Amino acid sequence: MLFGSISYLNLLPFQLFLKQHLKSNAAKMSFRYKRAVPSQINRALKRRSVNAAFVSSVTSRRFACTDLGIIAHKRVYSVFLLEGAPKQDPASATSNALAKLLGLKGEVLIGDAALKYYLEGGEGIDLAQAWYEKTGLPFVFARLCYNQHGTYIKQLATQFTAKKVKIPQYILKKEAQKRGISPKELSWYLEHIHYKMDWRAKRGLKKFLTSL
């Protein structure tokens, strides 16, 4: 099977889990990755050029999905609206839609670039926090969805949420250096990312999608 992979830090724990899982599993022989930004992965899953991926919440309505997502309970620190002329981020359909739904105008900035912008002292509106202030609910930015191999993907999702993935120091240092931040900042950021969709996250997702 072909798995769509996004290289943002918020998926580092899942990517590490997947590597550990495949290392001791015969499935690794038939498992391949396709790496791209979120908007490209959305299109790839629709075209069936990948079989499973974390896709934008806006797009997830088209697919069968697990209860695994990229979720912010309040602040997320990697999705901002910056002051200035309106400008969408071509990498994310969901963040652009969220800004519009909240009635906020400016430049949408997401992902590792947004996190680094914040850590370097940049200012902007954290869109997950703005959503929470309006609704009192978490915001689901993406969901793990699939078009084939549903039983296997659902098993992966269940196994991932059942264990806490510990990221080795050498990987923390490598990933932090790659993005120009410190390992401590990377670990701090991941503390604000949640993956299991509880009833509050599901309610938040439903409210978002029905409001579009």
Side-chain angles (χ1 to χ4, degrees):
M1 66 172 293
L2 189 56
F3 199 98
S5 179
I6 301 168
S7 59
Y8 289 164
L9 278 176
N10 54 27
L11 276 178
L12 180 59
F14 182 77
Q15 290 163 346
L16 184 60
F17 158 79
L18 211 49
K19 288 179 181 179
Q20 293 170 344
H21 173 81
L22 294 173
K23 197 174 291 186
S24 58
N25 192 301
K28 65 183 178 182
M29 297 301 294
S30 60
F31 204 98
R32 293 177 296 139
Y33 294 98
K34 178 182 178 67
R35 300 188 184 279
V37 299
S39 58
Q40 293 172 327
I41 292 297
N42 293 346
R43 293 192 291 270
L45 191 65
K46 183 180 179 181
R47 292 194 305 265
R48 303 180 77 86
S49 56
V50 300
N51 304 127
F54 281 87
V55 297
S56 299
S57 292
V58 168
T59 308
S60 69
R61 293 176 289 187
R62 305 172 185 170
F63 306 107
C65 299
T66 67
D67 283 338
L68 201 61
I70 299 174
I71 305 157
H73 286 181
K74 292 184 181 178
R75 295 185 184 277
V76 70
Y77 298 103
S78 57
V79 180
F80 287 102
L81 188 84
L82 312 185
E83 186 177 346
K87 182 181 178 183
Q88 294 188 337
D89 190 315
S92 176
T94 292
S95 298
N96 295 331
L98 177 57
K100 184 177 181 180
L101 181 61
L102 292 170
L104 300 172
K105 295 182 179 180
E107 179 182 353
V108 177
L109 182 66
I110 74 161
D112 297 350
L115 174 62
K116 189 174 181 182
Y117 168 84
Y118 171 80
L119 292 173
E120 291 177 348
E123 296 183 354
I125 297 172
D126 187 311
L127 289 179
Q129 176 68 14
W131 169 260
Y132 178 81
E133 290 173 356
K134 180 176 181 178
T135 67
L137 294 168
F139 190 80
V140 181
F141 285 96
R143 302 170 72 190
L144 177 59
C145 302
Y146 55 90
N147 53 38
Q148 280 187 329
H149 310 289
T151 300
Y152 179 60
I153 297 301
K154 286 186 282 188
Q155 288 174 349
L156 280 178
T158 300
Q159 291 170 15
F160 175 69
T161 55
K163 64 179 290 187
K164 183 174 176 62
V165 177
K166 186 175 181 180
I167 303 175
Q169 278 298 314
Y170 79 93
I171 292 181
L172 279 176
K173 291 178 180 178
K174 177 184 175 182
E175 294 295 329
Q177 185 178 30
K178 188 189 301 183
R179 292 165 172 84
I181 63 176
S182 71
K184 185 176 180 180
E185 289 170 332
L186 192 160
S187 296
W188 167 84
Y189 168 65
L190 289 178
E191 290 174 3
H192 298 88
I193 306 297
H194 305 271
Y195 302 98
K196 186 174 182 179
M197 288 182 59
D198 60 13
W199 68 270
R200 295 183 70 252
K202 290 178 181 178
R203 181 177 291 182
L205 176 64
K206 183 178 180 180
K207 186 174 184 64
F208 171 63
L209 294 177
T210 56
S211 299
L212 295 176

